[in-house]
Amino acid sequence: MSKITNLLGDQAAFYLEHTCRTIDKSLIHIPSSSTIDDTWISSDRNIRTLSSIQTLLGHGRLANTGYVSILPVDQGIEHTAGASFAPNPLYFDPENIVKLAIEGGCNAVASTFGVLGSVARKYAHKIPFIAKLNHNELLTYPNSYDQVMFGTVKEAWNMGAVAVGATIYFGSEQSRRQLVEIAEAFEYAHELGMATILWCYLRNNAFKKDGVDYHAAADLTGQANHLGVTIKADIVKQKLPVNNGGFTAIKFGKTNDKVYTELTSEHPIDLCRYQVANGYMGRVGLINSGGESHGSSDLKDAVITAIVNKRAGGMGLISGRKAFQKPMKDGIELLNTIQDVYLDSSITIA
């Protein structure tokens, strides 16, 4: 705990002593060692799928806590390989990506068909694989923002993946096609016994209004999460909320004043709690993304994100660039420090 409080400095009380007075913690399904028995046993997920979820929950330093730490490396497609791996060319080699996840004590590694497929025979039995089904790519010119399928659910199953991941750009022109594609893919993944993880991202230039970017607004991201769990994502991935009031600022959709006056506040933990609530009050776990690397502040930033997620009722962090865009030993330290937040019993739900 001393390392964590030292990293937080004068912000320690703000994050560690906050009490959520919006959505009460008694309403939240808090991650635990018995998550499968407590939360999933009543669902329609088949036995193989429950086993796959437990495989994710039972690996790495956070094994059997109900929390997860996942290393995602799909940025070679999503942000170009040069932008992603030039800071540390070691990770052009997929084996080093998997090694970082293993040495970093992660529950799983999430990546592309190419990355995972190139080392699957050596590593699929050593750490759970999450195969990312679809991607946006930045070589089309001019840039267009769409998630397209790069492979099939059966291909992911054949390589030994225990889960599939996918992204939907909610709010984009293509979102309804993506919604149908991924709903069908998730149904087949569950049929084969794999878990499903959805990147519930927003993408629409109109979500920027009067100089304010609402792509990470609590109300909009909360609704994206709610759409994600509707198509049976077992885990939803979302950016940490940085503001609120997207619906009211952009003046579209429907909302309720209580979303802003009673169910949220300006505190980041309360904003994240609203995201958790939209995942069936935590029945479907929320993992927040670690975001881009900012250099020297990465360790502190990652710890803050982990604390906000845990105290809000989330189930973990999925952090990539902050870990692999630096020497491996530093990446391992960052991943371990994130995990330490979830292992620290004194850091409780707010």
Side-chain angles (χ1 to χ4, degrees), residues 19-338:
T19 298
C20 184
R21 305 189 192 284
T22 53
I23 298 170
D24 192 80
K25 64 183 179 182
S26 65
L27 301 174
I28 303 298
H29 295 268
I30 304 170
S32 73
S33 59
S34 56
T35 289
I36 297 295
D37 291 332
D38 295 342
T39 304
W40 285 110
I41 205 69
S42 299
S43 75
D44 66 350
R45 303 322 192 248
N46 62 35
I47 294 171
R48 289 290 188 184
T49 298
L50 295 181
S51 179
S52 292
I53 297 172
Q54 182 58 54
T55 297
L56 286 174
L57 293 173
H59 192 84
R61 292 184 71 229
L62 297 182
N64 303 315
T65 63
Y67 295 104
V68 297
S69 165
I70 298 171
L71 177 72
V73 188
D74 59 352
Q75 291 87 349
I77 305 299
E78 299 285 343
H79 302 287
T80 81
S84 301
F85 302 133
N88 192 355
L90 189 73
Y91 292 108
F92 274 108
D93 185 338
E95 185 167 14
N96 289 320
I97 293 171
V98 180
K99 283 182 177 179
L100 175 61
I102 293 173
E103 295 298 321
C106 293
N107 294 71
V109 57
S111 197
T112 66
F113 283 105
V115 165
L116 297 178
S118 67
V119 294
R121 194 176 301 277
K122 185 174 181 180
Y123 289 105
H125 61 290
K126 296 178 181 176
I127 185 170
F129 277 11
I130 302 168
K132 187 82 187 320
L133 297 173
N134 64 354
H135 302 283
N136 182 47
E137 51 81 24
L138 294 182
L139 200 56
T140 301
Y141 186 80
N143 286 342
S144 63
Y145 297 96
D146 190 11
Q147 290 282 329
V148 297
M149 301 296 279
F150 269 55
T152 65
V153 171
K154 190 63 178 290
E155 186 180 354
W157 186 83
N158 283 335
M159 76 163 66
V162 302
V164 294
T167 300
I168 293 177
Y169 281 158
F170 290 108
S172 71
E173 291 182 5
Q174 300 83 14
S175 62
R176 291 186 175 179
R177 189 208 80 243
Q178 294 165 17
L179 191 64
V180 172
E181 283 180 352
I182 302 309
E184 291 175 348
F186 279 8
E187 179 186 19
Y188 187 37
H190 281 149
E191 184 179 326
L192 293 176
M194 289 187 287
T196 58
I197 304 174
L198 188 64
W199 280 236
C200 294
Y201 284 171
L202 299 171
R203 189 72 86 245
N204 191 318
N205 286 333
F207 290 171
K208 299 177 182 179
K209 180 79 171 178
D210 299 326
V212 180
D213 190 344
Y214 292 99
H215 278 92
D219 56 349
L220 298 186
T221 55
Q223 182 60 23
N225 290 0
H226 200 68
L227 291 168
V229 298
T230 299
I231 63 169
K232 293 189 176 180
D234 301 320
I235 299 172
V236 294
K237 176 191 177 187
Q238 186 56 267
K239 296 179 180 180
L240 203 67
V242 298
N243 54 21
N244 205 357
F247 279 121
T248 54
I250 301 165
K251 294 181 174 58
F252 86 112
K254 292 185 177 181
T255 189
N256 187 292
D257 288 343
K258 288 186 176 181
V259 170
Y260 313 103
T261 60
E262 296 182 20
L263 302 185
T264 60
S265 76
E266 293 183 356
H267 198 287
I269 292 174
D270 294 345
L271 294 176
C272 189
R273 174 68 56 84
Y274 187 71
Q275 290 182 337
V276 172
N278 275 277
Y280 301 149
M281 285 295 187
R283 284 181 181 270
V284 176
L286 169 69
I287 54 176
N288 288 116
S289 53
E292 64 182 303
S293 174
H294 293 110
S296 60
S297 68
D298 281 353
L299 198 59
K300 179 179 179 180
D301 293 343
V303 164
I304 288 174
T305 304
I307 291 170
V308 169
N309 172 271
K310 184 181 183 183
R311 301 207 69 220
M315 73 174 295
L317 229 57
I318 180 164
S319 186
R321 283 171 288 176
K322 282 182 169 64
F324 71 74
Q325 289 185 337
K326 48 177 58 69
M328 186 173 286
K329 65 178 181 61
D330 296 335
I332 291 170
E333 180 191 7
L334 183 136
L335 292 169
N336 287 170
T337 305
I338 289 171

